[in-house]
Amino acid sequence: MSTNNQIKVDPRIKRTKRMFKEALISLLEENYDRSKLTVQSIADRAELNRATFYLHYRDIEDLMEQMINEVLDEMYQTINPLSQDNLSLGKASLISFLEHIYQHAGLFNVMLENKDFRKRVFSMLLEIVSLWREERKVKGRSFQVSNEIIASSTLGIVTWWIQEGTPYSPSYLANQIIKMV
Amino acid sequence: MSTNNQIKVDPRIKRTKRMFKEALISLLEENYDRSKLTVQSIADRAELNRATFYLHYRDIEDLMEQMINEVLDEMYQTINPLSQDNLSLGKASLISFLEHIYQHAGLFNVMLENKDFRKRVFSMLLEIVSLWREERKVKGRSFQVSNEIIASSTLGIVTWWIQEGTPYSPSYLANQIIKMV
DNA sequence: CAATTAATCGACAAAGTGTCAATTAGATAA
DNA sequence: TTATCTAATTGACACTTTGTCGATTAATTG
């Protein structure tokens, strides 16, 4: 699923791709006028040639997509419940999830505008919520509210939290979310 | 705040602007490739001349903005609690809000991708939630969870609901939301 | 060092943008 | 109905952006 499977990749390519990614992020983070977000502006910021961009990406969308895949792969490993052990797996996953976002708040604030990214974060949340509620055996109480509703409301909260500059700590927010369920 | 304040507006202008708006919506609703969404493609769909577009709008963003303003003005009137009377104002507003979205699901599904639109819908929800919780005097219980958290989670739920093709009825969803609080 | 391949550069056609003056056609009021 | 406004159309313009080339320079690896 990921790129970078053991095969050695030319350090020039690594560097170049990193430069383009950093360039795009920095432009997006400073609310760069979207209508002026051109391949040329990204190449300028990366201090690379415009033609080099097309050596690696089809267009700006493609660059964005690749970045999203990398970010999500990384996050998915972070919240992987196999890494945690005793205590509530669901809650632990939620806190890991929020902490990971907290560490990369700027990036996530930008990424969450992307519809595909939101969809995939939603899927992750759905997994976490299902896990947590299975443990709690809320199933016995016939699931008054569906997992989808919990997951989507959590995504709403996270979106707001990031946009407001992460006003609460990840663990406090996790508690607020859990309290709400 | 709105346009159209009593002054008679040339019917040709009304018609033309309506055509452009309908054209943009129809293109967006059929998931028209965003990178091919040009002024020309909108003018083609509207069966109007490209130059005519510039007679009314600065660019595509401007058209989008004007559409958002109209949709939000309309929605704001719909949920205006002054129009409702007895019973819980907050709950009535929430149901009106959801019903209005339900009636224009296709349009909202497209609009909710817009950051500015989301921000303004959030503000409306914050008003509704504040109103509802004031009535309930949840304040006495020291607001375990803030209004912002409720509003943002509601926005998350609504976004999911629309994206999934409004699987529940507005009143059922309103109950689920209220139950969660 | 030599072989390989990434990055740069200049150039190109194609498409999109925003604006314009001149013209056509529709709305409105006398 | 006719005369007057003014919206819409049309073709054209300079300009920007896109995506792709072949030729060249520079970095990596064995």
Side-chain angles (χ1 to χ4, degrees), chain B residues 123-167:
Chain B
S123 298
M124 269 189 221
L125 280 169
L126 198 54
E127 267 188 56
I128 293 174
V129 169
S130 304
L131 185 65
W132 181 64
R133 296 184 103 201
E134 242 173 60
E135 286 179 300
R136 294 259 167 157
K137 295 196 180 95
V138 185
K139 197 185 280 176
R141 283 196 264 137
S142 81
F143 279 120
Q144 290 191 333
V145 178
S146 74
N147 287 345
E148 279 82 4
I149 294 222
I150 306 289
S152 57
S153 73
T154 304
L155 179 55
I157 292 169
V158 169
T159 304
W160 165 80
W161 181 55
I162 296 288
Q163 256 163 21
E164 294 304 308
T166 55

Side-chain angles (χ1 to χ4, degrees), chain A residues 10 12-13 16 48-52 55-56:
Chain A
D10 194 312
R12 286 172 294 180
I13 295 182
T16 298
L48 289 168
N49 194 280
R50 188 174 70 90
T52 309
L55 245 42
H56 299 284

Side-chain angles (χ1 to χ4, degrees), chain B residues 101-126:
Chain B
I101 291 178
Y102 187 78
Q103 305 287 0
H104 306 83
L107 181 58
F108 275 84
N109 192 25
V110 164
M111 294 280 203
L112 278 169
E113 283 186 58
N114 182 285
K115 198 174 185 176
D116 184 48
F117 186 78
R118 293 182 67 87
K119 265 195 177 169
R120 292 172 63 182
V121 171
F122 174 80
S123 298
M124 269 189 221
L125 280 169
L126 198 54

Side-chain angles (χ1 to χ4, degrees), chain A residues 71-79 97 100 108 121 124:
Chain A
V71 168
L72 288 176
D73 280 358
E74 200 193 323
M75 183 158 61
Y76 202 80
Q77 286 166 6
T78 308
I79 65 150
F97 174 86
H100 186 258
F108 276 84
V121 171
M124 268 190 222

Side-chain angles (χ1 to χ4, degrees), chain B:
Chain B
M1 190 121 314
S2 330
T3 42
N4 270 21
N5 318 357
Q6 64 262 55
I7 309 149
K8 280 179 221 165
V9 48
D10 194 312
R12 288 171 294 181
I13 295 182
K14 258 189 167 168
R15 178 174 184 278
T16 298
K17 296 188 96 171
R18 181 172 47 75
M19 302 278 265
F20 279 125
K21 284 177 223 152
E22 286 174 1
L24 177 57
I25 292 169
S26 77
L27 289 175
L28 291 177
E29 280 185 348
E30 66 195 41
N31 278 322
Y32 194 84
D33 183 353
R34 290 296 237 256
S35 65
K36 283 175 188 158
L37 187 69
T38 63
V39 174
Q40 185 64 66
S41 70
I42 295 172
D44 284 350
R45 177 63 59 100
E47 293 178 288
L48 289 168
N49 194 279
R50 188 174 70 90
T52 310
F53 180 94
Y54 292 104
L55 245 41
H56 299 284
Y57 307 103
R58 202 178 52 254
D59 51 28
I60 297 177
E61 272 302 298
D62 185 36
L63 165 56
M64 193 71 183
E65 222 170 89
Q66 290 192 27
M67 281 176 52
I68 285 176
N69 285 336
E70 287 165 26
V71 168
L72 288 175
D73 280 359
E74 201 192 322
M75 182 158 63
Y76 202 80
Q77 285 165 7
T78 307
I79 65 152
N80 188 348
L82 297 179
S83 62
Q84 316 281 339
D85 269 273
N86 60 6
L87 279 185
S88 164
L89 290 183
K91 184 170 177 179
S93 296
L94 180 58
I95 293 178
S96 301
F97 175 86
L98 294 178
E99 246 154 17
H100 186 258
I101 291 178
Y102 187 78
Q103 305 287 0
H104 306 83
L107 181 58
F108 275 84
N109 192 25
V110 164
M111 294 280 203
L112 278 169
E113 283 186 58
N114 182 285
K115 198 174 185 176
D116 184 48
F117 186 78
R118 293 182 67 87
K119 265 195 177 169
R120 292 172 63 182
V121 171
F122 174 80
S123 298
M124 269 189 221
L125 280 169
L126 198 54
E127 267 188 56
I128 293 174
V129 169
S130 304
L131 185 65
W132 181 64
R133 296 184 103 201
E134 242 173 60
E135 286 179 300
R136 294 259 167 157
K137 295 196 180 95
V138 185
K139 197 185 280 176
R141 283 196 264 137
S142 81
F143 279 120
Q144 290 191 333
V145 178
S146 74
N147 287 345
E148 279 82 4
I149 294 222
I150 306 289
S152 57
S153 73
T154 304
L155 179 55
I157 292 169
V158 169
T159 304
W160 165 80
W161 181 55
I162 296 288
Q163 256 163 21
E164 294 304 308
T166 55
Y168 305 126
S169 75
S171 59
Y172 177 79
L173 195 70
N175 279 327
Q176 289 283 81
I177 290 170
I178 285 168
K179 193 180 287 176
M180 217 181 56
V181 185

